Amino acid sequence: AHTLRSAAALADAGLIAPERLPALERVAAQYAVAITADMAALIEPANEADPIARQFLPQVAELISTPGEDPDPIGDLTHSPVGGIVHRYPDRVLLKPTHTCAVYCRFCFRREMVGPEGLKTLSPDELDAAFAYVAAHPEIWEVIITGGDPLVLSPRRIRDLGERLAKIDHVKVVRFHTRIPAVDPAAITAEMVEALKASGKAVYVALHANHARELTPAARAACGRIVDAGIPMVSQTVLLAGINDDADTLAALMRAFVETRIKPYYLHHHDHAPGTSHLRTGLAEGQALMRAMRGAVSGLAQPTYILDIPGGHGKVPVGPVYLDGPVVEDPQGGIHAYPPGKAV
Ligand SMILES: *Cc1c(COP(=O)(O)O)cnc(C)c1O
Ligand code: SF4
């Protein structure tokens, strides 16, 4: 079972109708296409609204750009002092060793940078320069290895990254951002898990998943191998129209994370990446979903709802506000004085 990497391959596999192929080839020429066998197997081709299909199968709507969309929506390029490094917050950097992914998400905020036509995998010299930058900046406490998806690299390459970070004393925490444990669980071998730990630092893995169906038994087992090795996991989810923008779907996903020993971390408001308006929701809808989960679902299952302010101004929480001057609202909408004892 192989990854499908073109519109034609998707048509051959019966995932898109042959008559749609010419239009979708135009989309694929602009934005990379890939879906792993594990994810392709989850798609119900007869279901137009399938939440897995909506994440990975190209749609003609991607050719429509709307006002405010930006090829670099969160300002990666304006905060990149050397190739492969993004340094926007004082205590942490992104290190992007590769811009390849196992799947290409149709809503990706780095869609202009990832894929075969995107930014290249760092050369040995560029990687040296990136590590030299980290070594020269003692304020860097955490290195977030992202991309692309860093776990497309071999365990040998992952181990090499860790061993180089091991030599930088001021780096205390290493975080990997990946989709691989869910989209290609077989890649999480014992060798890969060992490689993730090579830095000897406090290592975290942040799993990106957007629908509970992605957490198949095989995916849960792959995450179990990571957590059992002493690596805590957190989650990242993008709020996406028609994929996870209803309270039951979102709660099922957050519960699936917690059942897998993954602490829900961020629910990202969708970035203004080009050609993604058909997948975007409003902030008010996101806040309503967060309200619906608060009070109804375990506190362990509550992510922080986050907006990455367009233009590279940083991430801020944008969840609902319960405390307003002298009153606080309860999860059912009741209003109460706070501090208690005063009339409202
Ligand atoms: C999102 C992001 C981070 C990580 O932010 P956290 O709030 O620590 O998860 C770090 N650097 C950049 C440039 C980012 O975009
Ligand atoms: S795996 Fe991440 S970087 Fe790759 S296409 Fe999906 S969202 Fe973008």
Side-chain angles (χ1 to χ4, degrees):
H2 292 297
T3 294
L4 306 171
R5 295 187 186 281
S6 66
L10 297 175
D12 285 347
L15 294 174
I16 59 178
E19 63 273 16
R20 294 175 62 213
L21 186 55
L24 294 180
E25 277 181 328
R26 292 210 313 280
V27 178
Q30 195 157 343
Y31 301 113
V33 169
I35 180 167
T36 57
D38 287 83
M39 287 299 107
L42 290 181
I43 294 176
E44 299 162 356
N47 178 4
E48 286 266 320
D50 184 277
I52 308 299
R54 273 178 79 80
Q55 291 185 63
F56 302 119
L57 303 186
Q59 295 187 39
V60 286
E62 292 173 48
L63 297 173
I64 302 165
S65 59
T66 56
E69 291 183 346
D70 182 338
D72 182 22
I74 65 167
D76 276 358
L77 300 176
T78 51
H79 292 91
S80 183
V82 295
I85 293 280
V86 182
H87 195 181
R88 182 170 67 182
Y89 305 106
D91 75 340
R92 55 209 192 276
V93 291
L94 306 183
L95 169 62
K96 303 193 283 182
T98 177
H99 288 86
T100 300
C101 303
V103 287
Y104 288 106
C105 313
R106 308 324 299 166
F107 50 85
C108 176
F109 66 118
R110 296 206 178 103
R111 63 193 326 221
E112 303 277 347
M113 301 174 211
V114 298
E117 307 292 321
L119 301 178
K120 294 296 159 236
T121 293
L122 295 191
S123 69
D125 285 351
E126 287 170 320
L127 206 54
D128 287 348
F131 281 105
Y133 181 86
V134 176
H137 286 80
E139 72 275 23
I140 299 173
W141 169 83
E142 180 182 23
V143 173
I144 299 166
I145 304 179
T146 178
D149 193 320
L151 298 201
V152 301
L153 300 175
S154 67
R156 184 184 60 77
R157 299 272 311 279
I158 295 289
R159 191 177 327 111
D160 175 62
L161 297 175
E163 286 170 355
R164 296 173 74 153
L165 290 170
K167 297 191 185 109
I168 308 176
D169 278 345
H170 57 261
V171 173
K172 306 297 186 195
V173 177
V174 175
R175 187 194 326 172
F176 291 90
H177 277 195
T178 182
R179 249 178 173 299
I180 299 282
V183 302
D184 185 15
I188 307 300
T189 58
E191 200 188 356
M192 180 63 94
V193 174
E194 275 310 304
L196 292 172
K197 295 171 69 173
S199 65
K201 314 279 184 183
V203 176
Y204 287 72
V205 169
L207 176 70
H208 169 188
N210 303 313
H211 194 280
R213 273 172 51 203
E214 291 162 59
L215 291 164
T216 61
R220 292 179 188 224
C223 296
R225 294 194 285 279
I226 295 170
V227 177
D228 283 346
I231 303 172
M233 290 186 71
V234 298
S235 72
Q236 298 200 90
T237 293
V238 185
L239 181 60
L240 294 162
I243 293 171
N244 56 23
D245 63 339
D246 75 79
D248 290 343
T249 303
L250 207 54
L253 172 63
M254 297 303 150
R255 285 185 170 135
F257 284 137
V258 174
E259 290 163 15
T260 311
R261 294 179 287 164
I262 300 171
K263 173 68 187 90
Y265 178 51
Y266 279 170
L267 175 65
H268 293 279
H269 188 68
H270 188 243
D271 296 309
H272 279 67
T276 60
S277 58
H278 57 296
L279 297 172
R280 203 168 298 131
T281 66
L283 271 175
E285 291 166 73
Q287 291 179 328
L289 290 167
M290 292 295 295
R291 270 182 187 279
M293 284 207 296
R294 175 59 64 182
V297 179
S298 166
L300 276 180
Q302 308 284 335
T304 302
Y305 183 34
I306 287 286
L307 175 68
D308 211 322
I309 304 171
H313 302 290
K315 294 182 176 72
V316 289
V318 289
V321 174
Y322 296 92
L323 185 63
D324 182 11
V327 299
V328 63
E329 187 179 344
D330 68 36
Q332 285 70 43
I335 300 291
H336 311 276
Y338 194 88
K342 284 194 186 148
V344 178

